[in-house]
Amino acid sequence: MPAFSALLNGYRRFRAGPYIDQRTRFDALAHGGQSPRVMVVACADSRVDPTRIFDSAPGEMFVMRNVANLVPPYEADGATHGSSAAIEFAVTQLEVDHIVVMGHARCGGISASLTGKFDEAAEGHGAFIGRWMAKIEPARDRIRAAAALSPDIDAQEALELAAIRLSLDNLMTFPFVAERVEAGRLALQGAHFDIADGVLRVLDPVTGRFEEVAFDWSAAA
Ligand SMILES: [Zn+2]
């Protein structure tokens, strides 16, 4: 298994390098517990690791990753909801100040939604993906219809952005999120990252548009 042995080699580099370099930080996190101020909801896609994109240190960011960085709506139905459990933990136990929903370009989950690839999939052949991505079906159908009328619409990107907006709306259906947002104790942010050019865009609550984050090349190493 060459891939797993590569992982173990990575572990050895980490143990001999960053783990020693940040010994004080790891000691504090081990004995004092974690108190990240930010939760990030990101896609499971291997190209969009939020701790790399935001250059954050261990202990700074509580991360939930799933297919297409979706936040499901609040459902008090007694069923198991892994994503909702992570949100509940971050908000009610860690009391984070921010939740960032970060989508990304070329998202496979969004692409599958647009093509309908897993809409009728059988168990073991994509049914879990199909049911998960059904959460954005209304937005998908709207964007498909708009793209059919205007071929210049980039349906992939439009649905990536729409899914981020929907996830932010869904966050507000959780009573413990809504009450903190309304009290000014929690802020929700949308963002979209493109690995092709490294550009991060952030949803501006005033304009309602995703605006590119200013970046100064002269500050680059
Ligand atoms: Zn993705």
Side-chain angles (χ1 to χ4, degrees), residues 96-170:
V96 296
D97 303 318
H98 294 271
I99 302 178
V100 182
V101 177
M102 183 180 74
H104 71 104
R106 299 166 182 77
C107 181
I110 296 292
S111 170
S113 172
L114 275 174
T115 61
K117 183 177 176 184
F118 298 114
D119 282 6
E120 309 294 335
E123 300 297 332
H125 298 277
F128 279 113
I129 306 167
R131 285 197 294 271
W132 179 245
M133 294 312 299
K135 295 181 185 304
I136 62 166
E137 244 171 40
R140 185 270 306 268
D141 293 345
R142 266 200 319 277
I143 287 165
R144 268 183 179 169
L149 293 172
S150 311
D152 53 322
I153 288 178
D154 180 342
Q156 171 79 22
E157 184 183 89
L159 189 52
E160 286 163 3
L161 301 182
I164 296 165
R165 295 175 200 274
L166 178 67
S167 288
L168 292 169
D169 289 345
N170 285 345

